[in-house]
Amino acid sequence: MNARHRPAAPLALMAELTHRCPLQCPYCSNPLELLKVAQERDTEFWLNLIGEAADLGVLQIHFSGGEPTLRPDLAALIAHATARGMYANLITSAVLLNEDKLQALADAGLGHVQISIQGADPATADRIGNYKNGHAKKLEIARLVPKLGMSLTINAVVHRQNLDQLPAMIGLAESLSADRLEVAHVQYHGWALRNRAALIPTREAFEAADAIVAERRAALRGKMVIDYVVPDYYAAKPKTCMGGWGQKLLNVTPDGRVLPCHAADSIPGLEFERAGLSPLKEIWEQGRAFETFRGTGWMQEPCASCALKEVDWGGCRCQALSLAGNAAATDPVCHLSPRHEEIQRLAESESRADHREFIYRRL
Amino acid sequence: MMVAAAITRDSVPVLRRGVRRQFDRTRNCAILMAPERVIVLDEIADAIIESFKPAATVSDIAAGLATRFRAPAQEIEEDVIAFIRELNDKGLIVL
C-alpha cells in the first residue's frame, strides 16, 4: 500500500444543479436514470456547499446540469461563489436565457459562459438536440456574452452525424467572437454509450477532423483558442480523466451526493457521501469513493508497473468498467490493455453501421 | 500558416475579458483565474500583470519593473515580451 497522506486541496467543483433540460441530446453525459425535480437540493444547501468548497480551497466552480438556468437561484449562487473568491463558469444550452437574465448573471460575477452547439446549421443542430429553434436561440445569446464582458466558449460536440460541419462550426465560433472553442468528440458514457452506433465517427473522418483542428488552431493563434477533446476509442493512450481521480475535482449531483467524477455513479459498489451530512473536507480527504481509485495503490497490471501511471492515472475508471467489465482494469483505450484491439475493432465496425436513429435523452 | 500578432515595445497588453488576477490564500500564491483554468504566477509574472494599466506599453511596463527589481531594462523587456506572447497564445492576454 502507498503511504497515506492527505490529498492536495481540490481546484474545482462541478455543481450539477439539476438534471432537467429542455434539450434531449442523445450523447448527454448525465446518467441514464435522471433525478427528478423533487430530488433536487434547495438554495440553502448549495450556498452552504459553496462556502465549504471555498474553505477547502476550491477556486473554480462550474454551474452545470442538466440545464442550470432552470434554477431560479442561479444568480444568487454565482454571487455567493464570487464573493467567496471563486471563479464562476456556466455550462449551458442557453435556450432559456434572455438579455435580462444574462445581465443578472453577469452582475452576480459570472466570468465565463460555455454554450454548446449541436451543428453549424439549424436543421442539423435542432434535430440532434431535438429542440425547435434551439440553434437560433443559442446564437442570439452567444452574441450577448462578450458584450456583457464575459468570456465566451463555444462547445461544439462532434460525432459521425455532424463531423462534416466542423469547418463551418469553427467559422461560426469565430463569427460569434468566441474567446475559446472546444471541439469535443462525444465521450461514450451514459446516453452516448447507448447511442454509440449512431454517433461514433469512422477513423478516416476522425483523422480528417484532427487535421482541420490543427490547421485552424495555428491560423487562429492569439485570437481564439481551440481546445480539442479526442474520441479516445481511436487514441493509443488513455486520457488523464478528471486530472486524476480525487485529485482536482469534486462533482456534486442534483440530490447532493459528492462524486469524484460526474459518471462515477455508473460504477457499482461505490457509495457516495452526501454534502451537508458530512463535512466536505472529510468527504474529499477520506470519502470511500474518493479513496478507492485515488493515487496508484488500486492499480492492476499493466498499469501498476507502467512508467506513465502517474501521468494518465490509468485512464477512465468508468470506461474501464463499461468496456472491460472492471473499474480497476486498465482503460481499454490504452494500447497496453489486453482489450485494446477488440475495442478498436468494435469502434471501426460501429462507425460503418448504417444507423442514424437516436434514442433521445428524456426524464 | 498565419503568424501570431506581433508583440512589440509599443504593444499595450491587457487581460482578456473573463480573466482575473487574484491571490490564493489556500496555496499562498498569486494566480490568474480564467475560464476553467488557474495559472500560478511567480513573483515576476505577478508583477508584470499588476503593471497593466490603460495605455501602458510593454516598454513602460518593463521600465517600471527594471526600477522595482533593480535589473537591466533590456533583459526585463525581453522577459516581458516572452511572457506576454505565451499568455496571448493561451488566450489570456490581448494586445
Side-chain angles (χ1 to χ4, degrees):
Chain A
M1 276 303 273
N2 288 351
R4 280 266 171 265
H5 56 86
R6 221 178 265 181
L11 283 169
L13 169 68
M14 180 74 75
E16 294 181 335
L17 300 180
T18 179
H19 276 162
R20 291 172 290 143
C21 184
L23 269 64
Q24 301 185 346
C25 305
Y27 46 72
C28 182
S29 63
N30 283 162
L32 296 175
E33 290 207 19
L34 297 162
L35 296 165
K36 298 182 176 59
V37 64
Q39 294 165 286
E40 289 179 16
R41 303 308 304 265
D42 63 10
T43 307
E44 195 189 343
F45 168 87
W46 289 106
L47 291 172
N48 288 336
L49 177 75
I50 288 166
E52 276 194 278
D55 291 340
L56 192 49
V58 168
L59 295 172
Q60 297 253 337
I61 184 162
H62 307 274
F63 291 102
S64 172
E67 178 45 57
T69 63
L70 276 163
R71 293 274 307 208
D73 52 3
L74 179 60
L77 302 181
I78 290 170
H80 189 51
T82 305
R84 291 300 318 268
M86 281 190 228
Y87 188 96
N89 302 272
L90 176 65
I91 301 164
T92 181
S93 69
V95 299
L96 302 175
L97 284 168
N98 58 38
E99 187 161 6
D100 289 346
K101 284 184 185 167
L102 192 63
Q103 181 71 61
L105 302 182
D107 292 344
L110 185 62
H112 168 225
V113 181
Q114 183 187 117
I115 298 177
S116 59
I117 55 168
Q118 279 67 43
D121 68 76
T124 304
D126 293 348
R127 174 184 167 259
I128 293 166
N130 203 25
Y131 187 82
K132 222 175 167 184
N133 299 325
H135 187 69
K137 184 78 191 176
K138 283 162 183 271
L139 302 193
E140 177 197 326
I141 299 302
R143 284 192 187 92
L144 292 170
V145 172
K147 286 185 188 148
L148 298 181
M150 296 177 287
S151 183
L152 173 67
T153 294
I154 294 295
N155 179 267
V157 184
V158 294
H159 46 78
R160 189 167 82 237
Q161 298 199 37
N162 70 1
L163 199 51
D164 58 329
Q165 300 190 346
L166 177 60
M169 286 193 272
I170 298 173
L172 181 59
E174 272 185 82
S175 76
L176 294 168
S177 305
D179 298 279
R180 188 169 72 117
L181 168 67
E182 189 173 280
V183 177
H185 280 272
V186 166
Q187 304 293 305
Y188 296 98
H189 304 289
W191 292 86
L193 188 61
R194 181 171 276 193
N195 280 293
R196 191 175 61 195
L199 293 169
I200 197 160
T202 61
R203 184 179 284 276
E204 295 74 29
F206 159 59
E207 283 168 0
D210 231 20
I212 291 167
V213 168
E215 189 274 323
R216 295 311 295 155
R217 182 186 269 161
L220 293 166
R221 209 171 140 203
K223 289 193 186 125
M224 181 174 83
V225 172
I226 304 183
D227 287 335
Y228 190 47
V229 181
V230 303
D232 55 8
Y233 281 47
Y234 290 134
K237 289 178 186 161
K239 62 176 177 277
T240 307
C241 201
M242 300 293 130
W245 181 279
Q247 297 196 46
K248 302 227 159 92
L249 183 124
L250 295 150
N251 185 99
V252 179
T253 58
D255 62 349
R257 287 166 306 138
V258 188
L259 277 50
C261 110
H262 65 274
D265 223 0
S266 66
I267 300 176
L270 283 187
E271 281 169 33
F272 305 103
E273 268 102 336
R274 282 179 192 277
L277 293 181
S278 314
L280 193 63
K281 184 177 163 66
E282 196 177 296
I283 298 175
W284 171 254
E285 291 180 352
Q286 300 161 37
R288 274 191 37 226
F290 282 86
E291 285 290 286
T292 302
F293 298 115
R294 184 181 269 145
T296 56
W298 56 272
M299 286 180 179
Q300 307 176 350
E301 292 299 346
C303 289
S305 59
C306 182
L308 299 177
K309 69 179 174 183
E310 293 191 354
V311 175
D312 58 39
W313 304 98
C316 172
R317 297 303 88 228
C318 306
Q319 193 148 268
L321 175 80
S322 66
L323 299 182
N326 176 0
T330 296
D331 185 339
V333 306
C334 180
H335 70 288
L336 296 172
S337 162
R339 310 290 297 269
H340 181 69
E341 280 176 31
E342 179 192 335
I343 296 307
Q344 298 234 315
R345 275 199 302 276
L346 175 74
E348 303 243 2
S349 101
E350 285 194 1
S351 74
R352 292 178 201 291
D354 181 23
H355 186 126
R356 269 180 60 80
E357 292 310 302
F358 293 135
I359 302 162
Y360 285 111
R361 167 224 208 260
R362 286 196 178 107
L363 267 172
Chain B
M1 190 183 296
M2 214 165 83
V3 181
I7 297 159
T8 68
R9 311 181 68 229
D10 300 323
S11 302
V12 176
V14 289
L15 291 181
R16 194 164 187 141
R17 60 185 168 232
V19 181
R20 301 166 194 165
R21 168 181 163 266
Q22 68 185 64
F23 192 79
D24 176 4
R25 286 197 192 87
T26 306
R27 296 161 192 86
N28 199 32
C29 59
I31 52 172
L32 214 50
M33 292 273 246
E36 297 173 17
R37 267 187 297 181
V38 178
I39 291 104
V40 175
L41 301 172
D42 62 22
E43 192 190 358
I44 303 290
D46 188 45
I48 294 172
I49 291 170
E50 192 188 4
S51 312
F52 289 4
K53 301 264 154 49
T57 64
V58 166
S59 62
D60 296 338
I61 292 165
L65 295 175
T67 310
R68 178 168 158 193
F69 291 101
R70 298 198 183 104
Q74 177 71 28
E75 218 171 275
I76 292 279
E77 197 168 290
E78 282 165 20
D79 289 350
V80 170
I81 288 175
F83 175 74
I84 289 170
R85 180 171 294 128
E86 187 192 331
L87 266 63
N88 179 245
D89 282 351
K90 288 182 178 163
L92 303 172
I93 286 176
V94 286
L95 302 163

